[in-house]
Amino acid sequence: MFSVIIPNYNHARFLKKRIDSVLQQTFIDFEVIILDDHSTDESIEIIDSYSDSRITHKIYNTANSGSPFAQWKKGLELSKYNYIWIAESDDFCTADFLETANTILKKTQDISLYYCDSYLIGENEEPFFNTIQKYTQELDASLWNNDHKIDGKTYVKEYLSKKNFILNASSVIFKKDLAKNAIEHIQDFKTSGDWLFYAHILLKGNVYFHATKQNYFRHLSQSTRNYNTVEKRERRIEEKIKANHFFLENFEYSNHEKQTVYINLINEWIRDHSLKEIFKSSFFRISKYSFLNISKAQLFYKGIFIKVSNRWKK
């Protein structure tokens, strides 16, 4: 029924708990594919210590792939079951995660993507940010108080296009046949590809949210989710621009809604650069996205105006 893909890179300190939480599931009809992306810690030794027959593949890259989504693609190609679970190596789950998902998916077979609520925790499992309702409050947080099944296109247009509220891949199960197409659209992404990946899948079916917390999503200080350099911030916003372009191309929005998206993306780009950084050549890179309708000169002068105005306000 399920192919469980565990992609790992240097998560040796969390890896045993991750693998154990998969192998100790109360539902037993699944295979496990473990992919190590050339770790430099003790990950390989930990993976090699497991001999469970449900582990059908242990793949060790001889060089780092540079992208988590390259590993997702490899796992999909190796998988043999119809439903896929990307169980990220620093997370873990309750023992009934798969059993609950299987019960719901058997009852409602038109679901393309299933996900459950998550506990958000820190490196040492301390509470980090413990409610999806806070994260989705501007979208209608009450929706996530209960289980719900919604048409995928509606979900994308009304909610997912505004924000990636599917917080963690480890909480998600999706159909393999739809994922094989969706994964091709995110191979040049490094951070926000999951957002676009889910959207592609949901254009072809329904979504089901299970409001019980059965996943533990670990936030790490060294995670790719932390944007502590200008290069990482630029990459994050560029990927956000590409995702928003997809939403605008596939759904009908008013001119005002489109203009709001453009302005917010441009302002976010400017906000995440210091006054000194707007003189760098990379600052002008977003002018290549023609749908934003801003030239290099307009971007520069808008950036100067915003930065100077903000300084005066202080």
Side-chain angles (χ1 to χ4, degrees), residues 137-171:
Q137 56 190 354
E138 72 272 29
L139 301 176
D140 179 11
S142 62
L143 179 65
W144 284 271
N145 289 333
N146 301 292
D147 285 25
H148 55 257
K149 173 188 167 186
I150 297 178
D151 170 73
K153 288 183 178 179
T154 301
Y155 217 54
V156 174
K157 186 176 189 298
E158 299 299 323
Y159 303 108
L160 195 60
S161 65
K162 310 295 192 303
K163 193 174 198 178
N164 184 12
F165 52 79
I166 302 178
L167 301 182
N168 182 217
S170 295
S171 69

Side-chain angles (χ1 to χ4, degrees), residues 204-241:
K204 304 290 186 180
N206 298 321
V207 60
Y208 192 101
F209 172 71
H210 180 52
T212 301
K213 291 181 171 71
Q214 294 182 300
N215 176 58
Y216 290 82
F217 172 26
R218 198 187 304 265
H219 185 95
L220 304 179
S221 59
Q222 299 302 313
S223 169
T224 55
R225 291 182 289 270
N226 293 318
Y227 306 104
N228 49 13
T229 68
V230 64
E231 292 80 10
K232 286 185 177 181
R233 293 195 298 272
E234 287 176 349
R235 183 173 64 210
R236 175 184 64 84
I237 302 174
E238 278 201 85
E239 293 187 4
K240 189 173 182 179
I241 288 169

Side-chain angles (χ1 to χ4, degrees), residues 17-198:
K17 187 160 191 172
R18 166 79 284 178
I19 296 173
D20 287 347
S21 76
V22 172
L23 296 178
Q24 292 168 5
Q25 290 294 298
T26 55
F27 182 84
I28 60 173
D29 189 8
F30 61 87
E31 67 165 345
V32 180
I33 299 166
I34 304 178
L35 307 172
D36 185 81
D37 204 6
H38 196 58
S39 291
T40 56
D41 60 8
E42 296 77 34
S43 292
I44 293 176
E45 289 86 343
I46 293 170
I47 296 168
D48 280 344
S49 71
Y50 286 87
S51 57
D52 193 291
S53 60
R54 291 169 294 180
I55 301 176
T56 56
H57 298 85
K58 296 178 182 178
I59 307 296
Y60 306 113
N61 285 356
T62 56
N64 186 267
S65 68
S67 168
F69 307 116
Q71 292 292 86
W72 287 22
K73 182 178 180 180
K74 184 182 291 186
L76 279 169
E77 291 169 346
L78 294 169
S79 64
K80 64 183 180 182
Y81 291 122
N82 295 329
Y83 287 100
I84 306 295
W85 173 26
I86 306 286
E88 295 188 313
S89 56
D90 53 336
D91 303 321
F92 59 99
C93 60
T94 61
D96 60 347
F97 175 85
L98 280 180
E99 185 171 359
T100 302
N102 181 64
T103 299
I104 292 170
L105 291 169
K106 282 181 70 175
K107 289 181 180 178
T108 48
Q109 296 184 9
D110 58 345
I111 296 171
S112 296
L113 185 148
Y114 162 96
Y115 71 111
C116 70
D117 203 349
S118 298
Y119 293 100
L120 278 71
I121 58 174
E123 294 191 36
N124 299 310
E125 300 182 20
E126 69 277 13
F128 181 76
F129 179 72
N130 223 27
T131 169
I132 194 173
Q133 286 75 17
K134 289 183 180 179
Y135 189 76
T136 57
Q137 56 190 354
E138 72 272 29
L139 301 176
D140 179 11
S142 62
L143 179 65
W144 284 271
N145 289 333
N146 301 292
D147 285 25
H148 55 257
K149 173 188 167 186
I150 297 178
D151 170 73
K153 288 183 178 179
T154 301
Y155 217 54
V156 174
K157 186 176 189 298
E158 299 299 323
Y159 303 108
L160 195 60
S161 65
K162 310 295 192 303
K163 193 174 198 178
N164 184 12
F165 52 79
I166 302 178
L167 301 182
N168 182 217
S170 295
S171 69
V172 182
I173 292 172
F174 47 81
K175 285 187 174 179
K176 176 181 175 179
D177 58 339
L178 300 178
K180 288 175 73 175
N181 172 65
I183 198 69
E184 298 299 333
H185 296 277
I186 63 168
Q187 288 304 294
D188 61 338
F189 282 64
K190 291 184 181 295
T191 60
S192 302
D194 54 341
W195 186 20
L196 191 57
F197 178 75
Y198 303 144

